[in-house]
Amino acid sequence: MIITKQDALPISVRDVTKTYGDVFALDDVSLEVESGEFLTLLGPSGSGKTTLLMVLAGFTRPDRGSLKFGNDEVIRKPPHLRDVGMVFQNYALFPHMTVAGNVGYPLRLRRVPKAEAAERVERALETVQLSGYGERRIDQLSGGQKQRVALARAIVFEPRILLMDEPLSALDKKLRDRMQIELRHLHEKLGMTTVYVTHDQREALTMSDRIAVVNFGRIMQLATPQQLYDQPENKFVADFIGDSTFLDVERDGEKLVAGTTVLKTTRPVPEGNNLSLMMRPERVRLLENAASEDVNEFTATVSEVVYQGESFLLYAALENGTEMAVRGAIRSGSFTSLPKPGETVRLGLDSADTVILSDREQQL
Amino acid sequence: MTTTDMNAAGLKRDERLERLKLFGLSSPAILLVLVILVIPVGWLFYVSFIGADGSFSLENYERMIKRKSYGRIFLTTFEVSLLTTGLCILIGYPLAYFMSQLPNRIANLCLITVLLPFWTSLLVRTYAWLVLLQKNGLVNKWAISLGLWDEPIKIVHNLNGTLIGMVHIMLPFLVLPTYGAMKAIDRDYLKAAANMGASPARAFWTVFFPLSTPGLFAGALMVFVLCLGFFVTPAVLGGGKVIMVSMKIVSNIELFVNWGAASALGVVLLILTVAVLWLASRFLKLEQMTGGGH
Ligand SMILES: Nc1ncnc2c1ncn2[C@@H]1O[C@H](COP(=O)(O)OP(=O)(O)O)[C@@H](O)[C@H]1O
Ligand SMILES: [Mg+2]
């Protein structure tokens, strides 16, 4: 059951809109998923991720738009003719069938001869590391095992597109971490175009080739995990991925000013007036010596220092009152030499890490 | 006293007290069952073994075996019950399915209309059917004026009339549990089936139907068992042509004042009913073992 990357299908979503009353569940969504890619839809609850996935699977009829698998327009094709595999959030395993019955179901529909079907079921179960579980009843399985059976059932008929809606959200953290890696390996092995839904940014960063950040039924940014983290396109993405503090930025002629600091940046600056400076806790440093040329310097008063094992988290208030966080590594003994609450410190942000964003979500 | 049995005695007493309270709460029900079920049934058994001369005898049971008419009555009873159950399934299952697909508010409204017949007495509903179905009743008049048939036909005082009335009265008992089972089926199961390539009809027969059978079986069983002992409707609508066990019991008492014969019939009916229930429960348990019930 090895699908090569050429067999996988690209997905092309164009201008898809879906409204419920006056709620825009999807608002003019366009998206290209490359063949064989692992793409994640990431967004807060209610942002439209499930709706988009259901449009791909054919269970939700959008108001308008186009959807192509490869070169075929499929927007009006009923779900049972689309030939995409799907793992449901609650797995939707049939309780009246055994594990083998569930996994063999799509093969029975396709009239695969019994012997071949049995072999393929066993191979699919092997792929998800459940060999020998065929005769089990569904209610005898743990959450993680159910998840694997659902996966086996979705891949056994070798669909060229695989959809997953928060498949790990019901599992405990340890199992979730392991399954993330396993799903990733499985994708590398099978190579089908995969669209994965999650609201967990860490999961998205771990697994995806690219991530589409979704909010209010729109795609806020579509990029690789690293680009999303390092070069968010707007404040929503910067805020949703990782921790950050934002400082208001004023335009003063050519200059950009945050508080009393004139900013130096090597990065592109967006148009418009509603600008914010993004500061990630681990990119801000405590300055001991005089700052060099390419570092933006801020003065702040320490309000709290938190010990977190491998690192410390220092909260400090800038002159204009904004609280911000600084994270740094703790080397032996260095925790005791950190500033104490009430002390004044100088914080530095490299011009290469100085990201200025427009508050795009306010325009929505 | 060591620390390990600290408060042990007190806690044990609390537990016993709690159990006593629970028993106290259920005692009225236990008493009721004892008085209106166990004692009369015991009495029934006793009376069935008393002969005409007042001494112990098996003559009431012997009569049932010797006389052909008794065998026919039992056969009719099972036949009418089976037919009613079958018709209820044919009408009730699609109805329950239809209701289960409706939005909740409308479905609840439908449910009320299904339950509406319970608000009028059984006797009234049965006589209403008699009025509708008789020779110059509404059904015949309309059918003739619509040209469906030319002469008034006999729809009541026979098996047809009995079945019409019984199906009408038994339908809610089938629809309610079936509807309940259908409502409990997660719609994602059907989506999953469609996603894997099942056409709507295929998804229905391979997923929806098997998952709805526990409710359907429960309803059908209830209808069948209730039919076995049904009296009013077959008596009124059967016109003496459909004789069920319950009617023979009544005639044994009213016509022949033979309590022993009536009791023996009652005992046999009871045993047959219990046998049906026992068989069904074995069947249903099997169903559960294959994952059907949940
Ligand atoms: N069947 C529906 N009827 C009405 N509103 C819906 C329906 N499905 C989704 N919505 C609305 O569409 C929006 C997006 O929902 P959804 O796609 O489920 O979000 P997500 O999966 O990202 O949590 C939400 O505001 C939700 O309330
Ligand atoms: Mg969702």
Side-chain angles (χ1 to χ4, degrees):
Chain A
M1 56 158 36
I2 305 291
I3 296 181
T4 60
K5 299 255 170 183
Q6 294 94 309
D7 288 334
L9 279 177
I11 303 172
S12 165
V13 181
R14 290 228 163 269
D15 300 335
V16 168
T17 296
K18 173 71 191 174
T19 52
Y20 289 107
D22 43 1
V23 176
F24 278 79
L26 294 176
D27 188 357
D28 253 338
V29 170
S30 295
L31 177 73
E32 304 287 330
V33 190
E34 285 162 25
S35 105
E37 187 179 22
F38 195 116
L39 183 128
T40 298
L41 303 174
L42 173 66
S45 168
S47 56
K49 308 178 299 286
T50 297
T51 308
L52 182 52
L53 209 69
M54 288 297 161
V55 168
L56 296 182
F59 296 120
T60 294
R61 186 176 289 134
D63 302 347
R64 59 173 174 273
S66 148
L67 172 63
K68 282 186 177 171
F69 292 166
N71 293 321
D72 298 335
E73 175 65 55
V74 295
I75 196 87
R76 297 180 60 191
K77 220 182 210 183
H80 67 278
L81 300 178
R82 291 202 183 185
D83 215 29
V84 297
M86 177 149 179
V87 178
F88 288 75
Q89 185 164 8
N90 57 2
Y91 314 138
L93 296 173
F94 304 138
H96 60 300
M97 296 179 191
T98 59
V99 167
N102 268 279
V103 179
Y105 185 79
L107 301 179
R108 284 201 298 285
L109 292 174
R110 285 164 179 74
R111 306 222 153 71
V112 174
K114 267 219 169 95
E116 188 197 332
E119 195 183 313
R120 279 171 69 177
V121 166
E122 191 45 45
R123 242 185 308 155
L125 286 176
E126 219 169 273
T127 309
V128 297
Q129 300 174 10
L130 278 181
S131 308
Y133 278 70
E135 293 318 307
R136 293 275 182 108
R137 268 175 20 210
I138 296 304
D139 58 14
Q140 292 174 322
L141 301 178
S142 70
Q145 290 169 336
K146 281 185 191 161
Q147 203 277 326
R148 286 158 199 262
V149 175
L151 187 64
R153 193 175 69 166
I155 59 174
V156 73
F157 60 104
E158 300 177 14
R160 301 201 284 176
I161 292 171
L162 180 62
L163 309 176
M164 291 187 254
D165 191 357
E166 311 211 12
L168 306 182
S169 62
L171 307 183
D172 61 59
K173 175 146 174 29
K174 259 217 168 93
L175 195 54
R176 206 159 59 216
D177 290 347
R178 215 177 67 218
M179 284 307 295
Q180 286 170 7
I181 305 293
E182 279 183 27
L183 281 179
R184 183 66 226 188
H185 284 326
L186 197 67
H187 173 255
E188 274 156 22
K189 195 165 132 199
L190 302 177
M192 62 256 287
T193 309
T194 302
V195 180
Y196 187 93
V197 165
T198 183
H199 64 260
D200 179 343
Q201 46 146 323
R202 192 160 292 278
E203 194 168 301
L205 293 172
T206 307
M207 302 176 73
S208 322
D209 292 327
R210 285 193 302 160
I211 299 173
V213 180
V214 186
N215 197 30
F216 300 125
R218 291 183 180 205
I219 294 185
M220 307 301 289
Q221 186 173 0
L222 174 58
T224 63
Q226 201 186 343
Q227 281 169 338
L228 276 186
Y229 193 83
D230 284 344
Q231 301 159 31
E233 269 173 17
N234 49 61
K235 201 172 156 186
F236 177 80
V237 173
D239 201 16
F240 195 71
I241 311 260
D243 303 315
S244 33
T245 312
F246 296 98
L247 288 186
D248 287 341
V249 175
E250 308 276 325
R251 264 188 207 280
D252 182 6
E254 284 292 285
K255 288 186 287 188
L256 295 164
V257 184
T260 55
T261 309
V262 177
L263 297 175
K264 291 163 274 195
T265 178
T266 59
R267 303 212 184 199
V269 177
E271 306 283 307
N273 273 325
N274 280 326
L275 299 180
S276 298
L277 169 65
M278 175 186 84
M279 298 209 273
R280 301 267 193 217
E282 75 283 359
R283 301 284 162 95
V284 179
R285 286 177 292 139
L286 287 172
L287 295 178
E288 280 152 22
N289 311 317
S292 61
E293 263 304 291
D294 53 355
V295 174
N296 294 304
E297 193 181 320
F298 302 87
T299 312
T301 310
V302 177
S303 50
E304 200 173 353
V305 185
V306 182
Y307 177 75
Q308 292 189 321
E310 81 288 357
S311 62
F312 68 85
L313 200 55
L314 181 147
Y315 294 97
L318 295 173
E319 282 155 340
N320 66 1
T322 311
E323 272 279 312
M324 60 172 302
V326 181
R327 186 190 300 281
I330 297 179
R331 284 166 214 94
S332 63
S334 70
F335 186 69
T336 47
S337 64
L338 285 174
K340 304 278 173 299
E343 280 180 39
T344 303
V345 287
R346 290 184 303 130
L347 305 174
L349 183 66
D350 286 359
S351 61
D353 288 330
T354 301
V355 178
I356 296 170
L357 301 166
S358 76
D359 302 356
R360 188 173 150 201
E361 87 241 66
Q362 283 166 6
Q363 297 154 18
L364 294 179
Chain B
M1 189 184 274
T2 65
T3 45
T4 46
D5 50 8
M6 211 196 279
N7 286 328
L11 289 168
K12 193 135 222 155
R13 199 170 328 114
D14 287 351
E15 192 183 327
R16 228 175 294 133
L17 214 73
E18 230 164 73
R19 268 198 223 140
L20 213 68
K21 278 184 196 153
L22 265 181
F23 181 75
L25 281 175
S26 57
S27 60
I30 292 173
L31 209 71
L32 201 70
V33 167
L34 206 72
V35 171
I36 70 168
L37 202 75
V38 175
I39 294 174
V41 168
W43 183 249
L44 190 78
F45 267 87
Y46 170 73
V47 171
S48 73
F49 289 106
I50 303 295
D53 56 0
S55 63
F56 178 87
S57 107
L58 288 173
E59 65 174 70
N60 293 322
Y61 291 97
E62 279 164 7
R63 191 183 310 114
M64 256 185 269
I65 296 166
K66 277 189 198 132
R67 287 213 200 146
K68 279 245 168 67
S69 66
Y70 278 92
R72 209 161 30 205
I73 287 170
F74 275 106
L75 218 63
T76 309
T77 305
F78 270 84
E79 197 180 291
V80 168
S81 302
L82 269 177
L83 279 171
T84 306
T85 309
L87 287 170
C88 277
I89 291 173
L90 283 182
I91 299 171
Y93 190 86
L95 174 64
Y97 177 71
F98 173 70
M99 279 175 19
S100 73
Q101 300 308 106
L102 291 173
N104 267 339
R105 257 187 12 183
I106 305 174
N108 284 339
L109 225 73
C110 288
L111 209 59
I112 290 173
T113 53
V114 168
L115 290 173
L116 211 59
F118 282 140
W119 296 0
T120 48
S121 96
L122 179 68
L123 205 61
V124 170
R125 275 179 285 157
T126 303
Y127 274 106
W129 274 115
L130 193 61
V131 173
L132 285 175
L133 297 175
Q134 66 193 329
K135 239 191 168 101
N136 37 24
L138 271 182
V139 172
N140 263 320
K141 269 191 200 155
W142 284 349
I144 290 168
S145 70
L146 285 172
L148 290 178
W149 53 77
D150 307 327
E151 302 265 293
I153 58 168
K154 205 165 153 52
I155 337 178
V156 79
H157 292 321
N158 56 18
L159 184 63
N160 288 342
T162 308
L163 287 179
I164 291 173
M166 284 178 69
V167 167
H168 169 232
I169 283 161
M170 290 298 167
L171 204 53
F173 294 106
L174 185 110
V175 170
L176 287 180
T178 309
Y179 172 77
M182 287 174 172
K183 263 305 208 205
I185 298 174
D186 190 337
R187 288 192 180 206
D188 276 356
Y189 292 149
L190 294 170
K191 282 191 185 163
N195 176 256
M196 286 180 274
S199 64
R202 233 16 228 287
F204 176 85
W205 285 112
T206 54
V207 176
F208 190 89
F209 181 74
L211 289 176
S212 69
T213 44
L216 181 66
F217 284 156
L221 188 66
M222 191 144 61
V223 169
F224 186 72
V225 167
L226 285 173
C227 281
L228 284 180
F230 210 175
F231 173 70
V232 174
T233 306
V236 173
L237 298 176
K241 303 228 174 50
V242 182
I243 303 197
M244 307 213 353
V245 176
S246 56
M247 291 149 77
K248 187 72 188 169
I249 293 176
V250 170
S251 70
N252 265 334
I253 293 169
E254 290 192 338
L255 253 50
F256 309 113
V257 203
N258 189 341
W259 287 88
S263 298
L265 270 173
V267 167
V268 173
L269 187 60
L270 185 71
I271 289 171
L272 285 175
T273 307
V274 170
V276 167
L277 283 172
W278 178 76
L279 273 175
S281 76
R282 291 204 46 168
F283 184 51
L284 288 178
K285 223 179 260 150
L286 208 74
E287 187 67 18
Q288 249 159 23
M289 258 152 45
T290 54
H294 53 127

